[in-house]
Amino acid sequence: MSDALTALLEGSVRTATPLAFAALGEVVAERSGVINIGLEGAIIAGALGGLLAAGAGGVVAGFAGAIVAGVAVAAVFAAFTIALRVDQIITGTGITLLSLGLTGAIYRAAYGTGGAALGTPTIGPAPVPGLSALPWVGPALFAQPVTTYVVMILAPATWWWMYRTHDGLALRACGENPEAAEAAGIRASRLQAAAVLWGGALGGLAGGTLVLAQAGTFAEGMSAGRGFIAIAIVVLGRWHPIGVIVAGLLFGAANSVQFLFQAMGWQAPYQLFLATPYVLTLVALATVRSQGVAPAALGRPRRDTA
Amino acid sequence: MMGILACGGKPDAASPKHAGQFRVALLTPGPISDQAWNAGAYAGLMRIKDSLGAQVSHVQTKTPAEFEENFRQYGTQGYDLVFGHGFEFQDAAERVSAEFPRTVFVTTSGGRTGPNLAGMDFAFEEGSYLAGMAAASVSKAGRIGAIGGADLPPVKASFAAFEAGARAVNPGVVVIVSYLGSWDDVSAGKEQALAQIGRGVDVIFQNADAAGLGVIQGARERQVLAIGANANQNGVAPGTMLGSVVIDLPHALLTVAREVRDGKFVPRVISLGSRDEVVSWTGSPALSRPVPAAVALRIDSVRARMRAGAFRLSSASAPHK
């Protein structure tokens, strides 16, 4: 039984890793007052960017390519929503649809109809000496690909930056009232653009993780809604970096439990199992008090103060 | 309009939309780069183009609303033949076919017919049965798995036949069936495979299109065996693939297209299987754990009976109509 538990925990962390990347980026963007629904687009772009760059220059180049692709998608979003002040939801939706279509077209142009098969190099688990031998949680937390360790460091680092630095304070001020922040001498638009690009970089890394640490290949639409799940995770984590990590793990665990339930061979409609993570999300959203926690200016284009 | 065309020197201007050229379209439910179900149909479309000189068009669709809209588009444009690639296209094809009597609509995998509507019925169960025999014979644990994208009737029937074949070799074999709820989520495919492997499964039959690549990846990493579906996937991960249940989709699509072009098409359920060598079980040539000789002989004998039409699968695994 402990074997099953270990496998379950390992799977939870694996599933949570790309979600946590994307959600940690999105939480920074949202705390600056910008909701980036185009996150799904950054993830799928990161997946393809990672595949193409890894094919040319190996895994490290692959992750760099994933970041570049994610930032590029986020830059389009930033240009429309921050520079041109177009509605964030509409822009984000458009960017997601555009990215899903464009990545498919580029993938086919690059690899033909045969696809990339399973020839892409991937990073395997890199166990941390000592810690990975801990009972139960050892393999789950410390025998994972390097990307998981990056997330573990990134979450407290994001918290520290957001709550303990001047720039972090400025970011949160933007999210509450960008006009007031501007009046206080904060360059709100520039900060929001930086936050969105950072979110894109991490979204790209999420996609890169899918390809380079998990699947070892690309498939059109393989992001499979993870961008939207990450946005839900931000809400579930109450716009707090640590809360986001916990919510991400919860979602990963729900997914993993679902896989395990099916693998147990229980005779029950599999749709029930598949719905587990979503039911959990709804229950959590309904029961966790989130009023007054969301950034006050979230999703609102900045008004002219001049 | 007709006058203008006639003046332009086109003798065959009875139907200006056709203008003499045979036109064929294909709707797939997923990307044609999946090296499986969708790739096979696209290869068929390309063969129709090359062999029959047809003008071809392909579109990838996702939702039932898109199925209908695209069927209607091709009908409006006067295409001669439109394939909806999969069981899920049946409803849309049935509705739209009534509006465009000059266009023949064929759903690959489907049992409905009409004046210009036909379904194909691949005896995918036959190949799946043989795959089950092979899987049970190499499983050390006596536990084998099957992972599908969704529980479409053809997928369920295939898995039932896989289980029946496995039981014929090892009556005590445990077969675990899981569904992903997605045909694209490669990562989920891999996680589901790892979960099954964690429960002791050591041979996994995938039927999840692009997401199935994740199943194969998971099997490769944990050094268990995988079985491919719909196309010959043995080259995807040599050493990991026990074999593939192959549908010769290019051959099947070309056969129907040729009938339509020659005016010999009769609306019906077009049944294709081992007898026509459209469905086959193709074992991997090089394996560290090959199928034992005795079982290989039994597989050959069942295959021969299937080809002769003398082998009947039980009703549980019979093709769904």
Side-chain angles (χ1 to χ4, degrees):
Chain A
M1 195 58 215
S2 77
D3 271 4
L5 186 66
T6 304
L8 182 70
L9 291 174
E10 271 183 70
S12 307
V13 175
R14 255 195 321 264
T15 310
T17 299
L19 293 172
F21 264 126
L24 272 178
E26 181 73 9
V27 78
V28 171
E30 291 198 14
R31 286 309 284 262
S32 84
V34 182
I35 181 162
N36 185 0
I37 302 277
L39 185 58
E40 177 85 4
I43 296 176
I44 193 71
L48 182 63
L51 179 88
L52 294 174
V59 179
V60 176
F63 279 107
I67 293 173
V68 170
V71 169
V73 169
V76 177
F77 178 82
F80 277 93
T81 56
I82 298 167
L84 302 173
R85 300 186 191 179
V86 178
D87 184 278
Q88 294 173 12
I89 303 295
I90 293 172
T91 307
T93 308
I95 281 178
T96 290
L97 294 174
L98 174 74
S99 303
L100 287 171
L102 197 61
T103 48
I106 294 172
Y107 178 57
R108 253 176 242 179
Y111 285 92
T113 52
L118 296 178
T120 308
T122 53
I123 51 168
V128 179
L131 290 174
S132 59
L134 290 172
W136 295 3
V137 294
L141 294 177
F142 302 109
Q144 293 278 358
V146 177
T147 42
T148 301
Y149 307 142
V150 173
V151 170
M152 289 180 190
I153 296 165
L154 207 53
T158 305
W159 168 82
W160 180 82
W161 180 82
M162 205 180 262
Y163 288 92
R164 291 290 181 272
T165 69
H166 187 265
D167 286 346
L169 177 66
L171 179 96
R172 288 182 288 132
C174 280
E176 297 304 325
N177 190 333
E179 296 81 13
E182 190 97 338
I186 295 166
R187 306 181 79 162
S189 294
R190 184 184 284 190
L191 199 54
Q192 286 182 328
V196 167
L197 293 182
W198 174 251
L202 293 193
L205 265 179
T209 302
L210 287 179
V211 169
L212 301 170
Q214 296 183 359
T217 189
F218 178 85
E220 293 167 42
M222 73 182 290
S223 48
R226 284 182 178 76
F228 298 103
I229 293 167
I231 290 168
I233 286 173
V234 170
V235 179
L236 203 57
R238 306 181 77 195
W239 288 273
H240 190 287
I242 305 301
V244 159
I245 281 289
V246 172
L249 270 175
L250 194 69
F251 204 89
N255 250 307
S256 239
V257 163
Q258 181 270 114
F259 289 132
L260 182 69
F261 281 172
Q262 289 207 58
M264 302 286 258
W266 291 343
Q267 295 297 316
Y270 75 99
Q271 290 91 343
L272 282 182
F273 299 140
L274 283 179
T276 313
Y278 305 99
V279 170
L280 190 86
T281 307
L282 284 176
V283 168
L285 284 176
T287 51
V288 173
R289 195 185 62 87
S290 62
Q291 257 185 342
V293 183
L298 186 61
R300 171 168 69 76
R302 199 151 64 82
R303 298 184 195 100
D304 275 315
T305 45
Chain B
M1 182 66 186
M2 274 178 68
I4 293 164
L5 279 177
C7 289
K10 288 201 194 264
D12 180 26
S15 160
K17 289 260 176 190
H18 283 255
Q21 193 168 21
F22 183 55
R23 296 201 293 169
V24 182
L26 168 69
L27 276 62
T28 57
I32 54 175
S33 52
D34 64 354
Q35 302 207 318
W37 177 246
N38 296 302
Y42 189 74
L45 189 69
M46 290 300 110
R47 200 175 289 179
I48 290 168
K49 179 182 164 197
D50 295 339
S51 303
L52 306 182
Q55 184 189 330
V56 297
S57 174
H58 161 254
V59 63
Q60 182 183 327
T61 54
K62 200 149 189 107
T63 63
E66 286 174 21
F67 301 166
E68 205 165 321
E69 181 189 320
N70 284 288
F71 274 139
R72 200 161 271 132
Q73 276 289 335
Y74 286 123
T76 308
Q77 291 177 43
Y79 268 71
D80 300 276
L81 172 61
V82 183
F83 288 102
H85 190 44
F87 186 86
E88 58 268 48
F89 287 89
Q90 283 192 108
D91 289 338
E94 192 165 36
R95 268 196 296 275
V96 176
S97 65
E99 298 168 32
F100 301 98
R102 307 184 60 131
T103 302
V104 173
F105 293 85
V106 176
T107 57
T108 56
S109 190
R112 294 191 206 156
T113 55
N116 59 330
L117 173 69
M120 282 186 172
D121 179 16
F122 298 112
F124 193 70
E125 303 79 25
E126 295 180 350
S128 305
Y129 185 92
L130 301 178
M133 293 177 72
S137 75
V138 296
S139 172
K140 288 180 195 154
R143 294 172 78 87
I144 60 178
I147 298 178
D151 63 343
L152 297 179
V155 177
K156 281 169 81 172
S158 153
F159 288 172
F162 177 71
E163 185 166 351
R167 287 206 195 291
V169 168
N170 173 6
V173 73
V174 175
V175 183
I176 292 174
V177 176
S178 308
Y179 295 99
L180 301 174
S182 165
W183 304 89
D184 311 315
D185 194 338
V186 189
S187 200
K190 184 179 171 187
E191 279 298 324
Q192 186 62 72
L194 294 181
Q196 287 200 353
I197 295 164
R199 302 298 303 158
V201 164
D202 59 6
V203 186
I204 305 178
F205 180 26
Q206 76 81 15
N207 192 348
D209 296 357
L213 291 171
V215 174
I216 296 171
Q217 178 79 308
R220 179 164 78 172
E221 279 180 20
R222 296 289 159 97
Q223 289 163 9
V224 304
L225 294 169
I227 295 170
N230 299 317
N232 188 336
Q233 297 189 308
N234 294 351
V236 171
T240 298
M241 304 306 294
L242 177 62
S244 299
V245 182
V246 183
I247 303 181
D248 191 348
L249 284 163
H251 176 76
L253 266 60
L254 180 64
T255 306
V256 175
R258 189 170 275 138
E259 284 180 14
V260 173
R261 187 199 58 175
D262 298 343
K264 291 177 183 155
F265 175 77
V266 181
R268 66 192 191 282
V269 175
I270 304 154
S271 293
L272 296 162
S274 307
R275 290 177 84 169
D276 322 272
E277 301 198 16
V278 165
V279 175
S280 60
W281 158 247
T282 308
S284 276
L287 267 183
S288 54
R289 244 200 290 166
V291 174
V295 177
L297 280 175
R298 276 182 69 188
I299 290 176
D300 284 342
S301 127
V302 174
R303 191 201 320 259
R305 281 162 61 207
M306 283 173 174
R307 282 193 181 147
F311 187 87
R312 285 267 163 268
L313 285 162
S314 69
S315 58
S317 53
H320 184 96
K321 287 281 151 36

